[in-house]
Amino acid sequence: MVGMTRIRTGRHCAFALHAHLVFVTKYRHKVFADRHLVRMEEIMRAVCEDFECELVEFNGENNHVHLLVNFPPKVALSKLVNSLKGVSSRRLRQEYPELVRHYYRANRLWSGSYFAGSVGGAPLSIIRQYIEQQNRPL
């Protein structure tokens, strides 16, 4: 059912969990250039490694970024997101002082909200059909 996705294993489980994350800059300001996104990807890869996660894909535009993350079931996605946003905000503002001018009222790079969507595997309709077709004992 998982297809071409690599199934990872833990001590007592096998898993293939992926999340699509989207982070938007505070006030939707257009602040990122390519050099910022290159450095941000490095920072976010390091944070993912600390959580035993894998940053599968990363890209962005001048006011938001998209991440595809493979994570183990022991990781609370909200804690991963909190670290990704917090560490990247702090390091980017330290390394690129020009970013600070966009946030004179708020000492934050990211908006307080984010998007997280589960991805991978079969469509829900196929999974529902698979579960319905199980041979239930009489």
Side-chain angles (χ1 to χ4, degrees):
M1 187 179 297
V2 176
M4 299 302 291
T5 302
R6 181 175 57 96
I7 296 177
R8 295 172 57 189
T9 57
R11 188 170 181 167
H12 300 286
C13 65
F15 59 92
L17 300 172
H18 291 84
H20 174 203
L21 304 174
V22 181
F23 306 151
V24 178
T25 59
K26 189 83 172 169
Y27 310 122
R28 201 78 164 162
H29 284 188
K30 298 177 179 182
V31 298
F32 299 137
D34 184 59
R35 69 182 186 280
H36 301 124
L37 295 175
V38 168
R39 179 63 180 131
M40 189 182 314
E41 182 175 2
E42 294 169 356
I43 293 167
M44 291 189 171
R45 276 194 194 284
V47 171
C48 284
E49 286 177 16
D50 291 343
F51 277 81
E52 298 177 22
C53 297
E54 178 188 2
L55 182 57
V56 178
E57 194 66 45
F58 175 91
N59 207 348
E61 294 184 10
N62 56 12
N63 64 359
H64 70 279
V65 295
H66 291 263
L67 297 84
L68 178 59
V69 179
N70 181 342
F71 63 99
K74 68 181 179 180
V75 170
L77 204 53
S78 60
K79 293 197 183 303
L80 175 62
V81 166
N82 191 37
S83 285
L84 286 167
K85 289 171 70 176
V87 172
S88 63
S89 176
R90 185 173 56 256
R91 292 213 181 131
L92 285 171
R93 287 183 291 114
Q94 287 171 349
E95 296 175 22
Y96 300 98
E98 72 272 12
L99 293 179
V100 176
R101 69 181 169 87
H102 293 282
Y103 301 102
Y104 59 92
R105 289 182 291 189
N107 201 19
R108 291 177 180 85
L109 179 62
W110 301 112
S111 165
S113 58
Y114 62 93
F115 168 81
S118 61
V119 295
L124 291 177
S125 61
I126 301 298
I127 294 175
R128 172 178 268 156
Q129 183 181 23
Y130 175 78
I131 292 171
E132 287 173 353
Q133 293 174 351
Q134 294 298 298
N135 292 324
R136 190 173 183 150
L138 299 175

